[in-house]
Amino acid sequence: MKLNISDYRRSAKARLPRFVFDYIDGAAEDESCARRNRSDFERVSIVPRMLRDLTRIDPSIELFGDTWRQPFGIAPTGFNGFVHPQGDAMLARAAAASGIPFVLSTASNMRLEAVRQPDGVNWFQLYVLTERSVAEQMVRRAKNAGYRALVLTVDVPVSGMRERDVRNRFRLPFRPGPAMLFDLCRHPLWLARQIAVGGPGFVNLVEQEGPVPAAVGAAALTRDMDRNLTWESLAWLRRLWDGPLLVKGLLHPDDARLALTHGVDGVIVSNHGGRQLDAAPSSIGALPTIVDAIADRIPVLLDSGIRRGSDIAKALALGARAVLIGRATLYGLASGGEAGARSVIDLLATEFARVLTLCGVASAAELDRGALSDARFPILPPLPSGASPVLDDPSRRAARAPAQRDAVTETLADERS
Ligand code: FNR
């Protein structure tokens, strides 16, 4: 019986070869950021209100002119073809059938033209590789194919160190060693499906259908990103894309302000599910300062760590307009293909509606900070503009205003206790 996302995770673990499960489930280095994503959600509490009219619960939201039936969409994930050869299209169909958006990754294993759902909200996620012409042709194709929004992922100037992948020797070209061969034999259905299609490839990276040049595939694999991509580069993207442009991977309020200055249409607070900088704060912890910096001028979205309908409610109450789901729908895809992904979407939708009702809130749009018990959520106080949360050295602490110093000290004391 699958009652929650942990049950789907267990099912995915049983069905996938170890190296594929670890690729999805794993995170960077000690995986402490991934754990923080969860534990910080658990530290947020919602104080329910009673005796309100709850005859109709409306979980839907409006964003960039589209109605989402739920306040969540599916986050971009690369290599979905390793979970299932048709993985990208299955997730896109599950999303469209549920009335929620699907964000297709640059590192997808199906072409964007084939994945787009005519009745869905289709978004495209962009990685800018060193060879910028690859990004240019992809943006052009996404526009021609009718994708609604472009999500520029900015937290991968270099790949995070995913130690599980290294230990499992998961790299392309795919040359399984004895341990992996033994593991593959224990998953004959998965193996047969992969053999039938010749394994996943970065087929989306080239303009025309056909073989992917080795150099392009290798650049995508090693995540050979353009390190010269800066805020100023957004002007280049703007010339190529006139629809909604979102930046994914922000955690610092000053970056949120820069996003505003550079005219983006939305920001996604994200630490890539803990897969990049292991020392990064949780997304839910970083959200309030970013919401304050943005001050309602553009929508703020969040991902990383969402496993329950109540997590969605907490993010919305702290100011996110919507959230994206990464691993949870992949666990569903692994455990039951398209139907499995839909079950996970239904599960989160059911949980979210129940949470709204239990909180005495009739619609997603009504969730606000008033619904939270702030006292039980010791997030760090807002940083003065220009300050970096990276280092908290004593000289800087002394330079802060006394009131703020007290707040930091109390917060840290809270966290230690
Ligand atoms: C990702 N993520 C990601 N992000 C992105 O912008 N482009 C990508 O290609 C990928 N690929 C990818 C693969 C896998 C297997 C995972 C798990 C994640 C990050 C993703 O969009 C999202 O930020 C996180 O997955 C959110 O965290 P949760 O929901 O997985 O905890």
Side-chain angles (χ1 to χ4, degrees):
M1 195 192 308
K2 295 191 200 73
L3 290 180
N4 55 40
I5 301 301
S6 297
D7 292 338
Y8 281 93
R9 178 179 178 274
R10 255 190 307 278
S11 166
K13 190 173 186 180
R15 280 160 198 263
L16 294 172
R18 165 84 182 261
F19 76 97
V20 180
F21 176 76
D22 277 348
Y23 162 68
I24 295 171
D25 193 64
E29 297 180 352
D30 298 318
E31 305 193 349
S32 54
C33 180
R35 280 194 300 279
R36 205 154 38 246
N37 280 337
R38 290 300 310 134
S39 56
D40 279 0
F41 264 120
E42 283 166 13
R43 289 162 68 189
V44 184
S45 48
I46 306 177
V47 183
R49 300 297 306 273
M50 303 298 152
L51 292 174
R52 291 167 154 201
D53 180 3
L54 301 168
T55 41
R56 205 177 147 266
I57 298 293
D58 179 10
S60 70
I61 58 154
E62 301 277 330
L63 204 56
F64 304 126
D66 291 316
T67 302
W68 301 17
R69 229 180 282 159
Q70 303 293 331
F72 61 87
I74 298 186
T77 51
F79 265 134
N80 291 336
F82 257 121
V83 181
H84 195 290
Q86 298 283 314
D88 294 306
M90 287 176 156
L91 288 172
R93 284 198 296 266
S98 309
I100 65 169
F102 172 68
V103 192
L104 182 70
S105 165
T106 285
S108 64
N109 303 126
M110 293 181 74
R111 292 178 66 75
L112 62 88
E113 291 84 359
V115 175
R116 182 185 172 274
Q117 297 300 302
D119 51 348
V121 179
N122 305 275
W123 286 15
F124 184 70
Q125 175 266 327
L126 185 70
Y127 279 136
V128 180
L129 303 176
T130 311
E131 181 48 61
R132 279 208 191 177
S133 61
V134 175
E136 288 177 359
Q137 58 87 5
M138 290 187 102
V139 173
R140 227 180 1 253
R141 283 168 51 213
K143 191 174 159 185
N144 290 341
Y147 279 75
R148 287 280 293 133
L150 185 68
V151 174
L152 176 70
T153 298
V154 294
D155 57 4
V156 187
V158 63
S159 181
M161 174 46 128
R162 325 252 168 90
E163 294 184 4
R164 291 200 221 179
D165 292 350
V166 178
R167 280 187 216 288
N168 291 333
R169 297 173 196 277
F170 176 35
R171 65 174 97 91
L172 292 184
F174 190 51
R175 289 202 193 94
M180 204 190 266
L181 277 175
F182 179 68
D183 191 19
L184 290 177
C185 293
R186 293 175 54 231
H187 296 89
L189 180 61
W190 181 90
L191 188 58
R193 279 192 194 128
Q194 294 293 333
I195 289 172
V197 297
F202 289 119
V203 295
N204 204 15
L205 292 177
V206 282
E207 188 128 32
Q208 307 293 337
E209 255 177 85
V212 180
V216 176
L221 255 187
T222 52
R223 298 187 182 83
D224 186 11
M225 301 300 173
D226 183 345
R227 304 253 193 119
N228 195 27
L229 192 78
T230 62
W231 287 107
E232 283 66 42
S233 315
L234 290 178
W236 157 76
L237 255 192
R238 266 294 178 215
R239 281 196 292 278
L240 303 170
W241 181 264
D242 51 8
L245 173 65
L246 294 95
V247 173
K248 171 175 180 280
L250 300 191
L251 293 165
H252 197 296
D254 283 352
D255 279 341
R257 287 182 196 101
L258 282 166
L260 282 175
T261 324
H262 288 85
V264 307
D265 302 296
V267 297
I268 305 178
V269 179
S270 168
N271 54 36
H272 218 99
R275 295 162 76 85
Q276 286 298 106
L277 176 69
D278 195 30
S282 68
S283 290
I284 193 69
L287 177 67
T289 52
I290 294 201
V291 167
D292 289 346
I294 294 286
D296 261 342
R297 278 171 283 184
I298 53 173
V300 178
L301 282 75
L302 169 141
D303 74 29
S304 298
I306 293 192
R307 302 290 182 273
R308 285 280 185 191
S310 54
D311 299 332
I312 301 169
K314 290 170 185 178
L316 264 55
L318 283 169
R321 281 282 287 285
V323 300
L324 299 178
I325 312 290
R327 293 182 184 83
T329 30
L330 288 179
Y331 299 146
L333 179 70
S335 70
E338 186 178 332
R342 274 207 75 171
S343 306
V344 162
I345 295 169
D346 290 347
L347 173 67
L348 290 173
T350 307
E351 286 188 353
F352 180 66
R354 187 183 301 112
V355 169
L356 277 186
T357 318
L358 286 172
C359 288
V361 175
S363 73
E366 281 171 47
L367 278 169
D368 59 21
R369 284 192 200 183
L372 292 173
S373 162
D374 283 341
R376 271 174 268 157
F377 185 40
I379 50 172
L380 288 172
L383 293 156
S385 182
S388 165
V390 175
L391 294 173
D392 192 31
D393 70 83
S395 56
R396 298 178 102 171
R397 204 180 308 168
R400 286 192 197 121
Q404 190 174 10
R405 211 163 54 228
D406 290 349
V408 173
T409 317
E410 277 162 24
T411 306
L412 294 178
D414 273 347
E415 290 193 330
R416 273 195 295 272
S417 63

